[in-house]
Amino acid sequence: PVDGYATEEAQIVIRGETEPEVSILVNGVRVLPNSEGRFETEIVLERGMNIISIEGAKRHSRTASVYRRVIFEEKITLSRAR
């Protein structure tokens, strides 16, 4: 997602593409890219601001990091009193 993305959904899919031999971590959890370098994982959001970190590195190289802020705005349903 783009930085500052707001959603009413409690889960969000993180997907991306890299070189197949890159090791990917999303919020500290390893995600395996397929043979073409594509990866995808689902994150459960907390209410309010969530910081999602995506890190990638080849063996013996420096880690590249990207951070995205995602806002979970829980949908509020109002009911009318009778």
Side-chain angles (χ1 to χ4, degrees):
V2 296
D3 192 41
Y5 179 74
T7 182
E8 293 179 346
E9 301 295 323
Q11 298 180 0
I12 189 168
V13 175
I14 305 298
R15 57 175 66 97
E17 189 170 345
T18 187
E19 296 175 23
E21 64 274 5
V22 171
S23 176
I24 301 290
L25 296 174
V26 177
N27 284 356
V29 177
R30 186 163 183 191
V31 178
L32 297 174
N34 66 17
S35 61
E36 297 164 350
R38 293 188 185 107
F39 63 91
E40 182 175 305
T41 191
E42 201 167 276
I43 300 288
V44 176
L45 300 173
E46 298 288 331
R47 200 173 322 160
M49 177 72 71
N50 293 264
I51 306 293
I52 299 172
S53 68
I54 304 162
E55 301 176 6
K58 287 184 181 181
R59 180 179 271 186
H60 307 299
S61 68
R62 186 173 283 190
T63 300
S65 301
V66 174
Y67 298 93
R68 294 288 186 262
R69 292 173 292 180
V70 176
I71 304 161
F72 171 39
E73 301 173 323
E74 192 169 17
K75 192 174 188 175
I76 299 173
T77 305
L78 300 175
S79 60
R80 300 180 109 181
R82 294 184 184 198

